[in-house]
Amino acid sequence: MTTEYQTFDYDVLVIGAGGAGLRAAIEASANGVRVGVITKSLLGKAHTVMAEGGIAAALGNVDDRDNWKVHFADTMRGGQYLNDWRMAELHAKEAPDRVRELEAWGALFDRTKDGRILQRNFGGHRYPRLAHVGDRTGLEMIRTLQDHGIHLGIDVHMESTVLTLLKDSGRIAGAFGYERERGRFLVFQARAVVLATGGIGRAYQVTSNSWEYTGDGHALAYDAGASLSDMEFVQFHPTGMIWPPSVRGILVTEGVRGEGGVLQNKEGRRFMFDDIPENYRAQTADTEDEGWRYTQGDRNARRPPELLTRDHVARCIVREVREGRGTPHGGVFLDISWIKARMPNADAHIKRKLPSMYHQFKQLADIDITQEPMEVGPTTHYMMGGVRVDADTQMSDVPGLFAAGECAAGLHGANRLGGNSLSDLLVFGKRAGEYAARFAKENATVTLDSSQIDATAREALEPFERNGENPYQVQHDLQRMMQDLVGIVRREDEMERALEELGKLRERARNAGVVGNREYNGGWHTALDLHNLLTVSELITCAAIERKESRGAHFRDDYPQKSEATGTCNIILQRSDSGELNLKREPLRELPSELKQVIEEMK
Amino acid sequence: MPTATFRIWRGQNGKGEFQDYVTEISDGMVVLDAVHRIQAEQANDLAVRWNCKAGKCGSCSAEINGNPRLMCMTRLSSLRLDQAVVLQPMKSFPSIKDLVTDVSWNFRVKKAIKPFKPRRPDAADGTWRMAQEDVDRVQEFRKCIECFLCQDVCHVLREHSLHDHFVGPRLLVYTAALEMHPLDNENRVNELRNGNGIGYCNITKCCTKVCPEGIRITDNAIIPLKERVVDEHFDPLQKLFRILRK
Ligand SMILES: Cc1cc2nc3c(=O)[nH]c(=O)nc-3n(C[C@H](O)[C@H](O)[C@H](O)COP(=O)(O)OP(=O)(O)OC[C@H]3O[C@@H](n4cnc5c(N)ncnc54)[C@H](O)[C@@H]3O)c2cc1C
Ligand code: SF4
Ligand code: SF4
Ligand code: FES
């Protein structure tokens, strides 16, 4: 070997310490195997910490008409039936137990009057379903998992990044990466690997995602030969902050609308009433009054159109702005202060229900949300697409490689419902941990190939030898290009141009150089991330070109209607042995008749 | 565009020096934005931690003009820009590089504190009943984003480096959240007094002042814990005292 490495040996290596990674690690460890976790940030700082609104589970604590069938049907409808039905079924059935388990580990959710876990309304969920803690649910969840997990003998490698997965004649054998502090290389031998790396938001300019979201898991899996699915479905959350410029993209939780907040254009019109999709009409309020009653728990009222699915709300906002009815900074108004007209002590109520939103606007935008409306617009938020996995075990088509959470595909189809991610992390994190442990036990012998390690190490150090372009500039140009050409409204010619641009950017990335040494060097890390960002950008673009219709989060200006041709299949991407991108349409698996019936009943 | 000067500590393993960077500033910018701009345009290898840019993850702690703050929640408009804005890493922890410090001590100390141990479920389905009033108190502590700014400012750690004897305000808040958890059955009073060194805290309240989550660390967490320690350890004596007085 040419370079020095530190070597570790685990049965199960979990890449990522967000909700999915931690839950997988806890489960694997409970199954009696040696577990290592690796995370780019410090423990407790993964994206999951930022989740605000809540975690969806049909506990039926607030409305006893809720049960797994309703949750299942809501998830499928929200995903435009492109979801993996088996994942949607398992998710709806198991989420309640996973939430209760968090309580047994110390989580303290907000309470109902009779002392049970309180649940709130969210877009696309028929009944109040989101267990929450004010608007800091993700913090509660990650801290609970973290504080539980640290007592289980799991090794955690903080501030360390995986650069490549290692294989042993077809199966997974481990991973190779570096730690930030000293820039030293790390080799992990592992019998099973769980990817729990989160999303891809940093491929876009306006995003609610942090620097971590460079699509690492997506690219690692793709490079290792696993197939990916649904990459065209990028969720643009309708309400991100837009002013001042430095906060652009920061999320404004859907919880604001769940608590009665309304969307208005500059003329003061509640434009969401103007366009209600046919398949949601029966569930949507006819009048403003009915919508308000729904948010206040009236069981006979239907939900206001602000709580339609995210893809639809985001597009309505784009329409208002394009047609000249936007706010001064190019968004729309989101107003919660109006509830003063409906309830006493509205100020205190807003501060109690939405404390971090109150602070966020007060501190970052000088806006008091109890007194005046917010200005909001769409922001890149969530990746529905990802590693294609078996629903029950979460294993990809590379033996021993598992994926869970945002980097896995299947549960959400063409559009994710709010709150369904946190529950996804727990349900499928647990399953991934369990089956990874089982796989590790049953396939105990692996060997590492040192030539693969040496080659990656050499490549990783190349940027130091080049006097090339600033990697931040390349990243920035990539983000702007994707925002402009493969954003919320898409067209064939623009996406073809995006592919050309990606080719040029890849060339520039190959020439990017870094200054300084290997110790905690932001420039070096950014240069290394470029490969993953470029890979996922290319996958998104190719899948988006292939889907010549508008469905869920994928909207085509040149094909504004739904089409049967792609409406009944998922788009699957896989790298061939010689490195080409193979793309195929795969027909959806037939729904079993019981589940079909559930969907019919809930229409 | 107007500009401002940032005097950033650059260095590794405790050795280094301040370096001035002039950068453009715009409406609504926070300190972290300026640091990012400097990193992207002038100092690619600058080390800085961040994640959420919205005060939710507690990664971007540093000392801004000597005050422990989150860089992502400090607006430039709240600072004097006619002089250089001084940025340096937290002082209570070993420096790694530039604005990044080694905070791993906090994670090690936490691991040594006895974990949550719930009482038996209240209902047959394995769940518990708790009133909102009873969880409110603990929810305040659970707002903690582990920014460690309170640890940075506490003189017991900052001036006296008693890291081996005192767990610091963050971990007292953590202990309080466990001790006052409506379901918890564990007892951590002995450790509080001995290994965790609650006695070193002399209630200066500096920690409370810097907490970006507005947790009333001293009044709501530390003082009640101190009372528990006193009650459990001196109760026998006090009882005797009372008997004698009767
Ligand atoms: C602002 C915001 C609010 C949200 N609110 C909600 C909500 O209310 N309800 C809901 O259900 N969902 C919400 N979501 C979505 C949800 O939070 C995320 O989808 C979810 O937390 C993702 O969890 P995860 O475990 O998959 O990944 P993450 O929590 O993002 O964790 C990813 C982990 O992988 C690590 N990692 C990545 N790449 C590498 C690598 N190469 N090497 C080593 N480690 C690596 C990272 O360091 C990190 O530890 C929200 C998202 C955002 C951004
Ligand atoms: S109140 Fe106690 S813990 Fe807080 S800063 Fe003062 S001495 Fe430290
Ligand atoms: S108690 Fe406050 S200051 Fe201390 S770590 Fe937690 S959030 Fe930060
Ligand atoms: S970046 Fe998360 S608190 Fe500042």
Side-chain angles (χ1 to χ4, degrees), chain A residues 236-553:
Chain A
F236 298 90
H237 193 290
T239 59
M241 290 177 84
I242 58 171
W243 191 259
S246 77
V247 300
R248 188 134 192 229
I250 295 180
L251 193 77
V252 181
T253 174
E254 192 166 310
V256 174
R257 284 169 282 145
E259 298 296 340
V262 298
L263 290 168
Q264 289 165 328
N265 62 21
K266 74 169 183 204
E267 292 148 12
R269 183 175 174 78
R270 275 181 75 177
F271 56 87
M272 288 307 302
F273 274 105
D274 299 342
D275 179 4
I276 296 168
E278 213 34 64
N279 58 339
Y280 280 96
R281 191 167 293 279
Q283 302 183 2
T284 307
D286 289 330
T287 63
E288 300 195 1
D289 184 64
E290 182 181 4
W292 165 252
R293 284 189 282 112
Y294 174 88
T295 64
Q296 300 311 298
D298 179 343
R299 293 171 51 137
N300 298 317
R302 292 165 301 171
R303 65 177 161 240
E306 274 85 359
L307 291 178
L308 285 163
T309 53
R310 289 177 177 176
D311 49 343
H312 180 73
V313 180
R315 268 195 304 279
C316 290
I317 293 175
V318 170
R319 181 196 63 216
E320 290 303 302
V321 176
R322 277 193 173 180
E323 293 174 7
R325 293 184 296 275
T327 60
H329 301 112
V332 295
F333 291 116
L334 170 61
D335 190 14
I336 181 81
S337 69
W338 78 279
I339 68 171
K340 282 197 292 261
R342 298 281 185 149
M343 61 160 59
N345 291 327
D347 293 12
H349 178 79
I350 294 168
K351 284 186 205 165
R352 190 166 59 77
K353 284 292 181 183
L354 302 161
S356 69
M357 283 305 107
Y358 174 75
H359 284 290
Q360 191 171 307
F361 274 90
K362 190 93 186 147
Q363 281 182 277
L364 296 176
D366 296 319
I367 298 253
D368 178 349
I369 67 168
T370 67
Q371 304 302 321
E372 52 195 321
M374 305 159 237
E375 262 184 274
V376 297
T379 180
T380 315
H381 185 57
Y382 184 87
M383 185 55 171
M384 269 72 74
V387 184
R388 192 158 158 260
V389 291
D390 172 71
D392 288 77
T393 64
Q394 298 289 292
M395 190 158 89
S396 71
D397 42 27
V398 172
L401 180 63
F402 296 75
E406 190 168 341
C407 72
L411 173 60
H412 310 293
N415 176 56
R416 171 181 75 98
L417 299 186
N420 266 2
S421 171
L422 293 186
S423 41
D424 171 10
L425 311 183
L426 295 175
V427 168
F428 295 106
K430 175 181 185 291
R431 282 184 166 268
E434 180 183 336
Y435 287 95
R438 183 181 294 181
F439 184 93
K441 286 182 197 162
E442 289 168 0
N443 301 274
T445 347
V446 278
T447 36
L448 290 180
D449 167 7
S450 62
S451 64
Q452 197 190 347
I453 297 171
D454 284 341
T456 315
R458 259 195 314 276
E459 213 176 299
L461 293 175
E462 276 170 14
F464 286 107
E465 288 146 27
R466 290 193 291 254
N467 206 351
E469 193 181 357
N470 175 349
Y472 289 98
Q473 189 61 47
V474 183
Q475 189 196 51
H476 180 259
D477 292 349
L478 167 71
Q479 292 165 339
R480 222 182 33 205
M481 189 279 291
M482 287 298 286
Q483 186 82 33
D484 289 348
L485 301 181
V486 201
I488 205 167
V489 176
R490 300 166 172 177
R491 288 171 31 167
E492 191 104 4
D493 55 339
E494 291 185 344
M495 292 192 286
E496 291 294 348
R497 231 170 67 222
L499 286 180
E500 273 167 46
E501 294 295 322
L502 282 168
K504 292 184 210 153
L505 285 160
R506 204 173 269 285
E507 205 46 48
R508 286 170 62 190
R510 262 196 282 276
N511 290 315
V514 299
V515 295
N517 57 31
R518 279 164 71 173
E519 305 192 3
Y520 222 113
N521 185 337
W524 184 37
H525 307 152
T526 303
L528 294 178
D529 288 344
L530 285 174
H531 167 74
N532 298 337
L533 277 176
L534 286 160
T535 304
V536 291
S537 299
E538 188 182 343
L539 297 175
I540 292 168
T541 310
C542 289
I545 290 174
E546 177 70 9
R547 187 171 287 282
K548 297 186 199 318
E549 64 163 343
S550 293
R551 183 179 298 270

Side-chain angles (χ1 to χ4, degrees), chain B residues 136-192:
Chain B
D136 275 344
R137 181 158 84 147
V138 181
Q139 281 183 338
E140 177 188 359
F141 305 143
R142 293 182 66 91
K143 283 195 305 194
C144 171
I145 56 174
E146 301 202 324
C147 64
F148 308 127
L149 288 171
C150 55
Q151 307 285 68
D152 185 41
V153 81
C154 175
H155 68 102
V156 184
L157 303 172
R158 189 183 178 91
E159 320 292 341
H160 306 290
S161 300
L162 288 168
H163 295 70
D164 289 340
H165 306 280
F166 179 56
V167 297
R170 157 58 192 141
L171 290 150
L172 291 173
V173 169
Y174 174 66
T175 309
L178 289 165
E179 283 285 300
M180 299 178 202
H181 194 298
L183 305 183
D184 184 72
N185 262 340
E186 189 58 87
N187 184 332
R188 300 168 189 81
V189 172
N190 242 326
E191 292 84 344
L192 270 175

Side-chain angles (χ1 to χ4, degrees), chain A residues 149-180:
Chain A
I150 55 176
H151 299 288
L152 303 177
I154 299 165
D155 271 1
V156 183
H157 301 264
M158 297 201 282
E159 299 200 305
S160 302
T161 303
V162 169
L163 287 173
T164 189
L165 297 174
L166 304 172
K167 284 168 73 177
D168 174 6
S169 49
R171 69 165 283 185
I172 206 77
F176 173 78
Y178 65 92
E179 46 92 23
R180 304 176 105 69

